[in-house]
Amino acid sequence: MAFSSKVSTTVLLLAISLVASLCLVVSAGNFYQDMDITWGDGRGKILNNGNLLTLSLDKTSGSGFQSKNQYLFGKIDMQLKLVPGNSAGTVTAYYLSSQGPTHDEIDFEFLGNLSGDPYILHTNVFSQGKGNREQQFYLWFDPTADFHTYSILWNPRSIIFSVDGTPIREFKNAESIGVPYPKNQPMRIYSSLWNADDWATRGGLVKTDWTKAPFTASYRNFNANACVSSNGKSSCNGSSKSSASNSWLSQQLDSTGQGRMKWVQKNYMIYNYCTDVKRFPQGFPQECKMS
């Protein structure tokens, strides 16, 4: 067992080293350069010389955008200001995803609610087409009053979800115990604002109030410190980059980060699939056994 563990560690370190040699810091210019509005018939807009992007939803349609680039590992940051007021029935989704039936995906979804009630931040991880790894949180601030930074750190070791620099969730690479991990499929960034009042708010009990439409979410300060993938090849060239630029590739939560994450999970987590006994009567998924 010890030998197997050493082999797994060696392979992982080699993978990190290989990706690091290809890594490129991708500094965002503006939304004109980084994103394409993909649907919504004019409801998605790039404003302020490319420094602001807004998505809107009305009774006819929502809207969405995607990144021009695909990434294979990276640290992705975006500032969002969510739909204010009575946002019940609306969902603002912000995620990384590949395509196809065995796709990988890393999700932030913000489930709207009645005025005065908290948003629910829904997270999920798909690997090779399998998801069902939901964790949900309330936030410790009003996400509609100002912009806040939502980050995904994705490297060969783990996926870390953070809010304003505070880690809220970590999904570790558990291939050593047979759990598929997103590591081979490049992913684009996607975001959309859409109507999901059949399920989003209190299981669909609260419907969208269209008299409050249009609903609008805003985005700014996108940044990707990542490796770009194109046509099956990496366009990265890290030979001139400092090792500090690549530190995210092997980053893990230190004791301080673990403590902050535990604080969030103790005080603000409202659902964790790894504790849902009714859902998994035959035993929890393998990755839940990892500390």
Side-chain angles (χ1 to χ4, degrees), residues 111 122 202 220 238 246:
L111 312 186
H122 175 101
R202 297 180 187 171
R220 72 180 187 190
N246 301 336

Side-chain angles (χ1 to χ4, degrees), residues 40-62:
D41 194 23
R43 291 171 180 81
K45 294 181 172 64
I46 298 175
L47 307 166
N48 295 0
N49 297 317
N51 293 314
L52 179 70
L53 190 154
T54 61
L55 295 180
S56 292
L57 162 70
D58 58 32
K59 199 168 186 177
T60 301
S61 177

Side-chain angles (χ1 to χ4, degrees), residues 11 20 59 63 83 86 102 105 133 140 143 156 164 166 172 220 222 254-255 265 279 288:
V11 170
K59 199 168 186 177
S63 51
V83 174
N86 180 1
T102 59
E105 189 172 319
R133 299 185 176 101
W140 49 95
D164 289 336
T166 296
K172 294 181 179 179
R220 72 180 187 190
F222 164 71
D254 58 15
S255 58
Q265 294 185 351
R279 185 174 175 187
C288 296

Side-chain angles (χ1 to χ4, degrees), residues 59-235:
K59 199 168 186 177
T60 301
S61 177
S63 51
F65 66 86
Q66 70 180 43
S67 61
K68 295 179 186 291
N69 288 324
Q70 297 186 86
Y71 306 98
L72 187 60
F73 301 124
K75 185 177 185 298
I76 311 296
D77 303 305
M78 182 81 82
Q79 290 193 329
L80 280 75
K81 184 164 68 171
L82 300 180
V83 174
N86 180 1
S87 57
T90 72
V91 172
T92 305
Y94 161 57
Y95 59 103
L96 287 163
S97 184
S98 60
Q99 298 297 309
T102 59
H103 77 293
D104 296 335
E105 189 172 319
I106 304 169
D107 292 340
F108 278 113
E109 288 186 292
F110 303 90
L111 312 186
N113 220 326
L114 294 168
S115 299
D117 288 347
Y119 261 81
I120 292 174
L121 171 52
H122 175 101
T123 66
N124 203 353
V125 175
F126 288 74
S127 50
Q128 296 182 19
K130 180 183 180 298
N132 300 320
R133 299 185 176 101
E134 301 90 348
Q135 290 183 358
Q136 294 183 337
F137 305 82
Y138 288 142
L139 294 165
W140 49 95
F141 53 82
D142 179 357
T144 73
D146 203 350
F147 286 90
H148 292 268
T149 303
Y150 302 90
S151 304
I152 295 168
L153 172 68
W154 169 39
N155 66 28
R157 293 178 182 271
S158 63
I159 296 163
I160 300 171
F161 297 77
S162 298
V163 178
D164 289 336
T166 296
I168 64 170
R169 175 178 185 177
E170 181 178 29
F171 182 81
K172 294 181 179 179
N173 184 330
E175 290 179 304
S176 61
I177 56 173
V179 179
Y181 184 78
K183 67 174 187 178
N184 297 317
Q185 301 186 67
M187 295 196 268
R188 292 188 193 275
I189 298 160
Y190 296 89
S191 191
S192 57
L193 175 57
W194 50 290
N195 178 43
D197 68 1
D198 56 334
W199 65 270
T201 306
R202 297 180 187 171
L205 294 177
V206 183
K207 301 301 181 182
T208 304
D209 181 357
W210 293 112
T211 66
K212 302 294 193 294
F215 305 98
T216 301
S218 302
Y219 303 74
R220 72 180 187 190
N221 291 347
F222 164 71
N223 189 70
N225 188 349
C227 286
V228 174
S229 179
S230 179
N231 298 320
K233 297 180 180 180
S234 173
S235 60

